[in-house]
């Protein structure tokens, strides 16, 4: 992105191989009321001490677990460091991923008279049968070799676009993917002169406008579902969208007709350092859900966060590796407590280049040389906590201080953290004098007793699920 909101640093556009990406430039939005969790006496303006009680919870049928994965790049022409399927599979296993997201672009096909033919993306086609992890395939991207394909809003271009999508379904149906239509249409259409930043839904004459995307998305959903009635299709892949105006417009205009959910991208690495938190991202997507419920008469929208991350680049928008790790763990646990967030995908599995100062090279959980960053451990530990749980809940007893519970049969994990280093707090487990906790992914930290400091690095207690837990939190 080239725009800059006020005094905040500009966030760069992450563009590679004709597929655009965005980073979020906005300040934090207010924490909305749609928590989907049990809150206990939260008052942000008053007391500096609160007591949280966690009674044993009744056994229930477990909800569908949060789908956790990572973006990879085997579908693009450029390798971007993804030159080994076995290495990528090993890294996906290391982070506990249940899914991965990749691209099968329109440009990868030719269109002779007999119908679409796949001529590129062979690395992805070779990768798909090597794993049982759930694929998310982003389809679309402007195609300048197709008349009217930049973007395909004419009837003739849409016909070719739909034929491509039907061929994609034919080729990939054995792997039961989630299909995601286009990528960050609201940012740009992938070719030509960069237009000024789009604010709101955009005029009809702007190819990035909401009305144009809805036309393409609706046609794409029909094509995919026509080829496979059981296919799972999500729409949106929304890039940076101030106040969610473009997103609300596409939903208002019917983008969800026939679709299975809405996908969005969340970034905040170029905000002020104290706002580069998981809590800011969660607050923003909660605000979106609240506004969509208002627009849709109370209907809850399934949301898929198909990109989120923090770069560890040595430049103004980069964050320290441990900060990124803490953020990833916090985002996973907060997402798991919101049943309408159906899946989240880290952007991305590994760095796409060796430069330590180039932001676009440094979003990975692993380095360009495939060495794990601290974040790889944090993603794995948080993913293990939520994937194996039959119940999760979360409370925020004091602003930016969280108490999370994940029950697994006869055991439960109690996790405490603060959203960032500027948030100070202490806690005490009042009725568990012998409790022993550990800091996530920190083998050097001493074991915690029943009390300690609340820090961005989550502290985890594993205890009997039948035991009530009373925690005092103060700042």
């Amino acid at each position: 992105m080239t725009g800059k909101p006020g005094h905040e640093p500009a966030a760069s556009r992450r563009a590679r191989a004709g597929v655009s990406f965005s980073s979020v430039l906005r300040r934090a939005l207010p924490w909305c009321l749609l928590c989907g969790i049990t809150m206990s006496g939260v008052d942000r303006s008053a007391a500096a001490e609160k007591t949280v009680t966690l009674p044993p919870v009744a056994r229930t049928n477990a909800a569908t677990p949060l789908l956790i994965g990572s973006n990879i790049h085997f579908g693009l022409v450029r390798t971007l460091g993804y030159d080994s399927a076995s290495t990528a599979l090993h890294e996906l296993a290391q982070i506990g991923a249940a899914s991965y997201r990749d691209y099968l672009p329109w440009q990868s096909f030719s269109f002779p008279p007999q119908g679409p033919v796949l001529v590129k993306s062979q690395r992805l086609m070779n990768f798909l049968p090597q794993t049982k992890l759930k694929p998310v395939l982003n389809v679309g991207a402007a195609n300048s070799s197709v008349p009217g394909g930049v973007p395909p809003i004419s009837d003739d271009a849409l016909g070719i676009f739909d034929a491509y999508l039907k061929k994609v379904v034919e080729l990939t149906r054995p792997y039961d993917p989630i299909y995601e239509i286009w990528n960050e249409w609201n940012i740009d259409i992938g070719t030509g002169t960069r237009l000024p930043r789009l604010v709101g839904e955009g005029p009809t004459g702007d190819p990035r406008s909401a009305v144009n995307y809805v036309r393409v998305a609706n046609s794409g959903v029909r094509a995919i579902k026509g080829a496979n009635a059981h296919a799972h299709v999500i729409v949106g892949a929304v890039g940076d969208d101030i106040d969610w105006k473009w997103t609300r417009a596409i939903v208002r205009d019917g983008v969800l007709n026939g679709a299975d959910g809405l996908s969005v991208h969340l970034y905040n690495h170029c905000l002020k350092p104290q706002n580069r938190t998981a809590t800011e991202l969660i607050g923003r997507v909660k605000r979106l859900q609240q506004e969509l419920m208002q627009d849709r008469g109370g209907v809850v929208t399934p949301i898929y966060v198909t990109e989120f991350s923090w770069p560890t680049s040595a430049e103004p928008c980069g964050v320290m590796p441990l900060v990124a790790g803490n953020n990833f763990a916090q985002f996973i646990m907060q997402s798991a407590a919101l049943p309408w967030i159906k899946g989240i995908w880290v952007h991305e599995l590994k760095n796409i280049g060796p430069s330590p100062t180039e932001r676009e090279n440094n979003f990975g959980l692993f380095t360009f040389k495939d060495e794990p960053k601290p974040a790889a451990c944090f993603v794995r530990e948080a993913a293990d906590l939520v994937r194996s749980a039959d119940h999760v809940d979360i409370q925020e007893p004091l602003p930016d201080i969280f108490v999370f519970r994940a029950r697994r049969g006869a055991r439960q994990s109690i996790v405490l953290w603060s959203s960032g280093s500027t948030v100070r707090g202490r806690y005490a487990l009042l009725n568990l004098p012998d409790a022993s906790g550990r800091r996530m992914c920190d083998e050097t930290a001493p074991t915690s007793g029943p009390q300690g400091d609340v820090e961005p690095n989550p502290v985890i207690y594993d205890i009997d699920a039948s035991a009530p837990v009373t925690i005092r939190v103060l700042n």
Side-chain angles (χ1 to χ4, degrees):
M1 296 294 296
T2 56
K4 175 160 52 169
H7 57 275
E8 296 290 356
S12 72
R13 169 182 177 266
R14 292 174 295 117
R16 56 183 78 90
V19 180
S20 66
F21 301 79
S22 73
S23 54
V24 174
L25 305 176
R26 292 189 288 130
R27 295 293 301 271
L29 288 169
W31 189 271
C32 82
L33 301 178
L34 288 173
C35 297
I37 57 177
T38 302
M39 301 298 290
S40 176
V42 174
D43 180 353
R44 291 178 174 273
S45 62
E49 179 177 322
K50 287 289 173 67
T51 298
V52 175
T53 299
L54 302 175
V57 292
R59 294 185 181 276
T60 59
N61 293 326
T64 303
L66 177 71
L67 189 59
I68 301 171
S70 177
N71 282 238
I72 62 174
H73 296 302
F74 286 101
L76 304 180
V77 173
R78 295 172 61 196
T79 60
L80 300 171
Y82 289 88
D83 49 12
S84 169
S86 61
T87 298
L89 290 170
H90 176 67
E91 291 172 355
L92 288 166
Q94 281 187 267
I95 65 170
S99 177
Y100 59 93
R101 176 176 179 260
D102 208 328
Y103 297 84
L104 191 47
W106 195 8
Q107 304 100 314
S108 291
F109 290 76
S110 65
F111 297 89
Q114 65 269 29
V117 176
L118 182 67
V119 294
K120 300 176 184 175
S121 297
Q122 290 301 328
R123 292 188 305 126
L124 175 60
M125 298 309 297
N126 292 335
F127 184 84
L128 284 165
Q130 296 188 51
T131 176
K132 295 185 181 299
L133 299 181
K134 185 77 167 179
V136 176
L137 298 180
N138 183 278
V139 292
N143 193 339
S144 57
S145 67
V146 172
V150 189
I153 54 180
S154 69
D155 289 343
D156 289 345
L158 271 181
I160 300 174
F161 183 70
D162 290 350
Y164 142 68
L165 293 179
K166 292 175 182 178
K167 189 66 175 182
V168 166
V169 174
E170 176 189 327
L171 294 173
T172 62
R173 185 168 183 166
Y175 314 111
D176 190 29
I178 297 172
Y179 300 99
E180 181 184 37
I181 298 179
W182 217 270
N183 188 71
E184 297 186 346
W185 181 288
N186 63 310
I187 300 298
D188 65 33
I189 54 173
T191 66
T193 303
R194 175 169 295 281
L195 298 171
R197 178 186 177 89
L198 185 68
V199 178
E201 62 186 277
T204 303
D206 190 317
R208 302 167 298 167
S209 68
V211 66
N212 285 328
Y213 177 74
V214 171
R215 174 172 166 78
V216 172
N218 286 165
S219 185
V221 170
R222 289 192 297 269
I224 293 171
K225 297 276 190 177
N228 177 7
H230 302 291
H232 196 99
V233 188
I234 57 178
V235 294
V238 182
D240 182 28
D241 181 23
I242 293 176
D243 296 328
W244 297 115
K245 291 181 180 179
W246 189 88
T247 309
R248 295 178 72 181
I250 64 172
V251 172
R252 177 202 66 205
D253 291 345
V255 77
L256 289 170
N257 293 346
D260 297 290
L262 177 73
S263 63
V264 299
H265 297 169
L266 298 173
Y267 294 96
N268 60 15
H269 49 275
C270 285
L271 297 184
K272 291 182 177 180
Q274 63 267 32
N275 292 332
R276 300 177 189 181
T277 65
T279 301
E280 192 279 330
L281 295 189
I282 289 290
R284 198 176 331 138
V285 76
K286 282 179 162 182
R287 174 67 176 271
L288 172 61
Q289 183 66 263
Q290 182 184 46
E291 292 174 344
L292 291 179
M293 286 184 70
Q294 293 171 355
D295 295 343
R296 304 183 71 201
V299 174
V300 175
T301 303
I303 291 179
Y304 297 74
V305 181
T306 51
E307 288 188 25
F308 76 102
S309 192
W310 291 269
T312 56
S313 43
E315 46 85 36
C317 290
V319 304
M320 296 298 293
L322 283 174
V323 172
N326 291 329
N327 283 352
F328 282 119
Q330 294 177 22
F331 188 84
I332 289 169
M333 289 184 284
Q334 292 191 69
S335 296
L338 297 169
W340 43 264
I341 295 184
K342 301 302 182 181
I344 57 175
W345 287 264
V346 175
H347 180 78
E348 58 189 302
L349 185 62
K350 63 172 290 182
N351 287 356
I352 63 167
S355 171
T357 58
E358 171 54 50
R359 187 180 312 151
E360 308 311 326
N361 286 1
N362 287 279
F363 281 90
L365 300 175
F366 293 81
T367 69
F368 188 65
K369 294 183 178 180
D370 299 299
E371 300 160 337
K373 300 181 187 178
C377 175
F378 282 93
V379 170
R380 176 57 185 259
E381 286 227 23
D384 284 348
L385 276 174
V386 305
R387 180 174 46 249
S388 59
D390 53 46
H391 170 87
V392 299
D393 58 62
I394 192 169
Q395 299 192 39
E396 187 183 2
L398 292 176
D400 293 306
I401 293 178
F402 296 87
V403 177
F404 174 83
R405 170 170 56 176
R407 188 191 66 186
R408 298 172 303 282
R411 306 296 294 176
Q412 63 181 341
S413 293
I414 308 299
V415 190
L416 299 96
W417 71 84
S418 66
S419 63
S421 60
T422 60
V423 181
R424 308 286 182 179
R426 287 191 55 81
Y427 69 90
L429 280 61
L430 299 182
N431 62 330
L432 297 171
D434 299 323
S436 178
R438 63 178 181 85
R439 289 288 172 182
M440 183 178 286
C441 293
D442 188 353
E443 296 179 356
T444 66
T447 301
S448 301
Q451 60 186 16
D453 294 324
V454 184
E455 300 175 357
N457 186 349
V459 60
I460 307 169
Y461 291 85
D462 180 60
I463 61 175
D464 191 320
S466 65
V469 182
T470 301
I471 306 170
R472 178 177 295 147
V473 180
L474 60 156
N475 60 14

